Amino acid sequence: MITLGVETSCDETAVALVRDGREVLASVVASQIERHQPFGGVVPEIAAREHVTAIVPALEEALAASGVDASEVGLVAVTDRPGLQAALLAGVAAAHAVGLALDVPVMGVNHVEAHLVAPFLAEARDPEWPLVSLVVSGGHTHLFHSESDTSHLLLGATLDDAAGEAFDKVAKVLGLGYPGGPAIERAAATGDDAAIPFKRPYLNPQSLDFSFSGLKTAVLYRCLGQDANGRPGTELLPGLEVEDVAASFQRTVVDVLDRKLQRAVDRTGVSRVAVGGGVACNGPLRERLAGTAAARGWELKLAPREFCTDNAAMIAARGAQLWRVQGGEVSPPAVQARASWKRV
Ligand code: KG4
Ligand code: ZN
């Protein structure tokens, strides 16, 4: 069966066609980054308006690139939560229109759970369960004990900023632009990652939660200093090596994600590990986790880079997976800004 996926939860308008939940026939991602760059982050109202204009061209482009005739599509899958409410509505409305036009069902998909499918896109076989799975993105830092396609138990999550959000905010302080992750990674490549020993926010020794806002504040004061009232300055301190700050910050985040995954594996006894989300594009993170996996005998699945950041291939794949496990039953889209999971 061919699934058409639609993703509009944040600032990417994406459409994809995926065969049998695995084979990506086309994946179009229309980024709105340039529209949001002047504001240093995503503006929800602009995002929603952009989706409305970008969605039809993205649909046309994806169908043309896939070589699939629209009549071959058997299911439409669309992100319905979590995300920016107005942005989600634009995608869900478009998905309903496509479903109506093609006379096929429309399935609502949880964006975070779709990030968990990305490590298995293009794999020859289905994932083996259970898994320890980590989603690290601009909006989410979620660590799960995944028992099956449909049972993700939350082991830990961020108490404040998501990992990608920390990359974005630190890049803004350093004047590196938006999105921050790729900019920090580039700057860090020529920096010394041991130059500044930022405190690692591991929280208490058992915790599988994350906290990146203290690290972000530490970077802020390190870069801008403090005025007589204890407020951060407005200019980077003279002589500050931006590359060293970027590398030291990135190393701190990598250390934390690596340590928390090790704790999760020790806690659950599950040594199959899957990682997805925009931050999983990060080269030093990928290298570190590959090293840990080799040393500890984990089976590690990292999402292919092109499917780490937001895309509709993972939405289509997740929709097809749900369709299969629910025996052909459809969960219609129910737009929700937030999503929650059972905690263990
Ligand atoms: O998954 P995603 O596209 O959107 C959300 O669901 O949030 O993730 C976007 C996030 C941004 O915060 C971006 O700065 C970060 O992923 N990111 C990276 C890299 N590429 C994207 N973070 C670190 N290193 C990268 N190379
Ligand atoms: Zn995402």
Side-chain angles (χ1 to χ4, degrees), residues 142-164:
H142 280 44
L143 187 53
F144 295 100
H145 181 177
S146 300
E147 296 177 312
S148 71
D149 294 308
T150 50
S151 175
H152 301 291
L153 306 172
L154 191 64
L155 294 166
T158 184
L159 303 174
D160 38 60
D161 292 350

Side-chain angles (χ1 to χ4, degrees), residues 131-136 142-145 155 202 207-210 253-276 280 285-286 288-290 292-293 296 298 300-302:
L131 285 165
V132 163
S133 42
L134 174 69
V135 177
V136 264
H142 280 44
L143 187 53
F144 295 100
H145 181 177
L155 294 166
Y202 292 127
S207 176
L208 293 174
D209 287 324
F210 303 84
V253 176
V254 169
D255 282 352
V256 169
L257 296 176
D258 181 28
R259 171 80 66 94
K260 296 282 170 163
L261 270 175
Q262 293 189 35
R263 279 186 192 169
V265 167
D266 291 346
R267 172 89 55 89
T268 58
V270 172
S271 59
R272 255 190 304 269
V273 176
V275 184
L285 175 64
R286 297 174 80 89
R288 170 71 72 80
L289 295 183
T292 302
R296 298 193 151 225
W298 298 354
L300 176 69
K301 296 281 180 209
L302 296 170

Side-chain angles (χ1 to χ4, degrees), residues 58-78:
L59 279 162
E60 287 171 342
E61 188 184 336
L63 278 167
S66 68
V68 165
D69 188 82
S71 63
E72 295 172 70
V73 172
L75 177 71
V76 176
V78 60

